Amino acid sequence: IASLYVQPHIGGDIALLTGLAKIVLARGAEDRAFLFHAEHFDAFVEHLKATPWNVIEQTSGVERATIEKIADYYCQAKNVVFGWTMGITHHEHGVENVHAIVNLALLRGMVGRPGAGLLPIRGHSNVQGVGSMGVAPSLKEQVFNNLESYLKVKLPTSPGLDTMACMRAADEGRVRSAICLGGNLFGSNPDAKFAHRALAKLELVTYLNTTLNTGHAWGRGKETLILPVLARDEEPEPT
């Protein structure tokens, strides 16, 4: 089984994927029958043709010869699954990163059939759990109604803040404190200088984590509490 490890520059994913797509077209390895149903294909081809190789190599940090080798595997493969994790989306151009992956998959018809497809590996049980219980910028209607009914209160209907909006609010002095349940709010931010500045403006940051991380060293407020919690497999009660 052949394997190839490639390390592009941080932020160089789109350039690498553009180079791969450019080679697929140059070799005539695209699935024309599949692409008959695609939108904006001609514009995509023009974009690939207009992107020079020196820009692709410089931006991606990967030599053309290596990109050609990756393309060899892709053009010869009958079934390909594209898997990616949150590192692809934790970028200023995260959406465009995913677009580039999808475009490369569509180019050879690796979508919507057995043995091929797109596999975003997203989040974990904590992320899903807090979302299910209502920790989201906008409460689900059923959660909203149940809370009002059970607590006998009238909840605000103004929209809440997602993670990035919370960081901007902290930087602008509109948030005084933060409670971080797991994860690494500092380390997952693509702009470390901004994250450091924003979190440092908070009067209090409280972390609940199973392990220490860079956020505890660099993501501190004026006062910081780090509260250790047990991981699931360390809890004395069965779960």
Short mmCIF file of all heavy atoms in Angstrom, two decimals, residues 161 164-177 201-202:
data_model
loop_
_atom_site.label_atom_id
_atom_site.label_comp_id
_atom_site.label_asym_id
_atom_site.label_seq_id
_atom_site.Cartn_x
_atom_site.Cartn_y
_atom_site.Cartn_z
N LEU A 161 -24.27 35.00 20.57
CA LEU A 161 -22.99 35.15 19.87
C LEU A 161 -22.35 33.79 19.63
O LEU A 161 -22.34 32.94 20.51
CB LEU A 161 -22.03 36.00 20.71
CG LEU A 161 -22.51 37.39 21.12
CD1 LEU A 161 -21.46 38.07 22.00
CD2 LEU A 161 -22.82 38.24 19.91
N MET A 164 -16.58 33.19 17.50
CA MET A 164 -15.79 34.31 17.00
C MET A 164 -16.40 35.64 17.42
O MET A 164 -15.68 36.60 17.74
CB MET A 164 -15.68 34.24 15.46
CG MET A 164 -14.54 35.04 14.90
SD MET A 164 -12.95 34.39 15.50
CE MET A 164 -11.94 35.87 15.42
N ALA A 165 -17.73 35.72 17.44
CA ALA A 165 -18.38 36.94 17.88
C ALA A 165 -18.09 37.22 19.36
O ALA A 165 -17.96 38.38 19.77
CB ALA A 165 -19.89 36.85 17.64
N CYS A 166 -17.98 36.15 20.16
CA CYS A 166 -17.61 36.31 21.57
C CYS A 166 -16.21 36.89 21.70
O CYS A 166 -15.95 37.76 22.54
CB CYS A 166 -17.68 34.97 22.29
SG CYS A 166 -19.35 34.37 22.62
N MET A 167 -15.30 36.41 20.86
CA MET A 167 -13.93 36.92 20.89
C MET A 167 -13.88 38.39 20.51
O MET A 167 -13.18 39.19 21.14
CB MET A 167 -13.05 36.10 19.94
CG MET A 167 -12.86 34.64 20.34
SD MET A 167 -11.91 34.45 21.86
CE MET A 167 -10.27 34.88 21.28
N ARG A 168 -14.64 38.77 19.50
CA ARG A 168 -14.67 40.18 19.09
C ARG A 168 -15.29 41.05 20.18
O ARG A 168 -14.84 42.17 20.44
CB ARG A 168 -15.44 40.33 17.78
CG ARG A 168 -14.75 39.68 16.58
CD ARG A 168 -15.38 40.15 15.27
NE ARG A 168 -14.73 39.55 14.12
CZ ARG A 168 -15.21 38.54 13.43
NH1 ARG A 168 -16.38 38.00 13.76
NH2 ARG A 168 -14.56 38.04 12.38
N ALA A 169 -16.34 40.52 20.82
CA ALA A 169 -16.99 41.27 21.90
C ALA A 169 -16.02 41.48 23.07
O ALA A 169 -15.99 42.54 23.69
CB ALA A 169 -18.24 40.53 22.37
N ALA A 170 -15.21 40.46 23.37
CA ALA A 170 -14.21 40.59 24.44
C ALA A 170 -13.18 41.64 24.07
O ALA A 170 -12.80 42.48 24.89
CB ALA A 170 -13.54 39.24 24.68
N ASP A 171 -12.74 41.64 22.82
CA ASP A 171 -11.75 42.60 22.36
C ASP A 171 -12.29 44.03 22.42
O ASP A 171 -11.54 44.98 22.65
CB ASP A 171 -11.31 42.25 20.94
CG ASP A 171 -10.15 43.10 20.47
OD1 ASP A 171 -9.16 43.22 21.22
OD2 ASP A 171 -10.21 43.63 19.35
N GLU A 172 -13.59 44.17 22.20
CA GLU A 172 -14.21 45.50 22.19
C GLU A 172 -14.72 45.91 23.57
O GLU A 172 -15.34 46.97 23.72
CB GLU A 172 -15.37 45.51 21.18
CG GLU A 172 -14.91 45.32 19.73
CD GLU A 172 -16.06 44.96 18.80
OE1 GLU A 172 -17.22 44.97 19.27
OE2 GLU A 172 -15.79 44.67 17.62
N GLY A 173 -14.49 45.07 24.58
CA GLY A 173 -14.90 45.41 25.94
C GLY A 173 -16.37 45.23 26.22
O GLY A 173 -16.89 45.76 27.21
N ARG A 174 -17.08 44.46 25.40
CA ARG A 174 -18.52 44.25 25.58
C ARG A 174 -18.82 43.00 26.40
O ARG A 174 -19.97 42.71 26.68
CB ARG A 174 -19.22 44.18 24.22
CG ARG A 174 -19.17 45.49 23.44
CD ARG A 174 -20.00 45.43 22.17
NE ARG A 174 -19.34 44.65 21.12
CZ ARG A 174 -19.79 43.50 20.66
NH1 ARG A 174 -20.88 42.94 21.17
NH2 ARG A 174 -19.14 42.86 19.69
N VAL A 175 -17.80 42.23 26.76
CA VAL A 175 -17.94 41.04 27.59
C VAL A 175 -16.96 41.15 28.75
O VAL A 175 -15.80 41.51 28.55
CB VAL A 175 -17.64 39.75 26.77
CG1 VAL A 175 -17.66 38.53 27.68
CG2 VAL A 175 -18.67 39.57 25.66
N ARG A 176 -17.43 40.85 29.95
CA ARG A 176 -16.58 41.00 31.13
C ARG A 176 -15.95 39.69 31.59
O ARG A 176 -14.87 39.68 32.18
CB ARG A 176 -17.39 41.60 32.28
CG ARG A 176 -17.88 43.03 32.03
CD ARG A 176 -18.77 43.51 33.15
NE ARG A 176 -18.09 43.44 34.44
CZ ARG A 176 -18.71 43.58 35.61
NH1 ARG A 176 -20.02 43.79 35.64
NH2 ARG A 176 -18.04 43.51 36.74
N SER A 177 -16.63 38.57 31.37
CA SER A 177 -16.12 37.30 31.85
C SER A 177 -16.48 36.18 30.88
O SER A 177 -17.36 36.34 30.03
CB SER A 177 -16.66 36.97 33.24
OG SER A 177 -18.07 36.82 33.19
N LYS A 201 -8.31 41.08 27.97
CA LYS A 201 -9.17 42.18 28.37
C LYS A 201 -10.31 41.74 29.30
O LYS A 201 -10.98 42.58 29.90
CB LYS A 201 -9.75 42.87 27.14
CG LYS A 201 -8.70 43.60 26.30
CD LYS A 201 -9.33 44.28 25.09
CE LYS A 201 -8.29 45.01 24.27
NZ LYS A 201 -8.88 45.68 23.08
N LEU A 202 -10.55 40.42 29.37
CA LEU A 202 -11.63 39.93 30.23
C LEU A 202 -11.24 40.07 31.70
O LEU A 202 -10.09 39.85 32.08
CB LEU A 202 -11.91 38.46 29.91
CG LEU A 202 -12.53 38.17 28.54
CD1 LEU A 202 -12.50 36.68 28.25
CD2 LEU A 202 -13.94 38.70 28.46
#
